[in-house]
Amino acid sequence: AQSVTQLDSQVPVFEEAPVELRCNYSSSVSVYLFWYVQYPNQGLQLLLKYLSGSTLVKGINGFEAEFNKSQTSFHLRKPSVHISDTAEYFCAVSKTGANNLFFGTGTRLTVIP
Amino acid sequence: DVKVTQSSRYLVKRTGEKVFLECVQDMDHENMFWYRQDPGLGLRLIYFSYDVKMKEKGDIPEGYSVSREKKERFSLILESASTNQTSMYLCASRTGTGMTDTQYFGPGTRLTVL
């Protein structure tokens, strides 16, 4: 069975500073990996996904993530955050060929002016 | 743009009431999902449907049922609401038969059971 661990429940960071949100997964088979963002009072929106190929994936709003198979990680990064990046971020995993996603518990990113 | 709408943003019900949460998508997606979101627990899958009248249990189906009579509509039913079902409920839809396609989420329904 898949599981997803987001190591930090809350991450405060100053505006224009870099940020890394950590995600580790466990699975004995090949997986697809996703990062979703939830802005206040909204549903989830896809930031980026890794399916295959290049391990560095670029998403919307300047975010990127790197798939590391040996460390079973898929950390999300942004070199310079903006106030508008304040949101909750969810990492998710799906086994290839499966029909549903398994979500982590979320990381609340707060950007401080 | 894909649009997933949920019938209510906020709902307050009493213990024992029958509750219907409605979700509609406008992109002819085959797959639809119901999650509940709780602080510190992330999103947990309640039920999903891969076709009209077809459904499968997710991780936490107890106390819930679903209905999918039309492709665009997926309903979540709480037969007898309890206080531990107070939560945010999120609907999602996705096309295709594999996970390469994106799940699109509705804005959520915050349900309070008193």
Side-chain angles (χ1 to χ4, degrees), chain A residues 26-96:
Chain A
S26 64
S27 176
S28 58
V29 298
S30 297
V31 295
Y32 299 134
L33 294 156
F34 304 77
W35 275 99
Y36 280 83
V37 59
Q38 185 179 33
Y39 297 107
N41 299 314
Q42 294 186 29
L44 276 70
Q45 177 184 353
L46 182 70
L47 268 180
L48 49 79
K49 59 185 175 184
Y50 171 79
L51 305 177
S52 65
S54 172
T55 57
L56 184 63
V57 181
K58 293 192 183 296
I60 61 171
N61 301 338
F63 283 93
E64 63 181 32
E66 185 151 21
F67 170 58
N68 187 320
K69 189 173 182 180
S70 62
Q71 296 187 7
T72 60
S73 68
F74 191 54
H75 300 333
L76 181 70
R77 301 186 184 101
K78 187 169 182 178
S80 175
V81 295
H82 191 266
I83 296 291
S84 60
D85 293 323
T86 293
E88 188 146 22
Y89 292 79
F90 292 93
C91 181
V93 63
S94 174
K95 187 174 64 174
T96 55

Side-chain angles (χ1 to χ4, degrees), chain A residues 38 41 43 46 49 94 98-99, chain B residues 9 37 94 99-100 102 106:
Chain A
Q38 185 179 33
N41 299 314
L46 182 70
K49 59 185 175 184
S94 174
N99 207 10
Chain B
R9 292 300 302 271
Q37 181 182 7
R94 178 175 60 78
M99 280 307 303
T100 57
T102 301

Side-chain angles (χ1 to χ4, degrees), chain B residues 78-104:
Chain B
L78 287 66
E79 295 288 342
S80 177
S82 63
T83 54
N84 63 13
Q85 293 178 309
T86 291
S87 186
M88 171 71 89
Y89 290 88
L90 291 167
C91 175
S93 74
R94 178 175 60 78
T95 190
T97 55
M99 280 307 303
T100 57
D101 298 295
T102 301
Q103 279 195 21
Y104 294 89

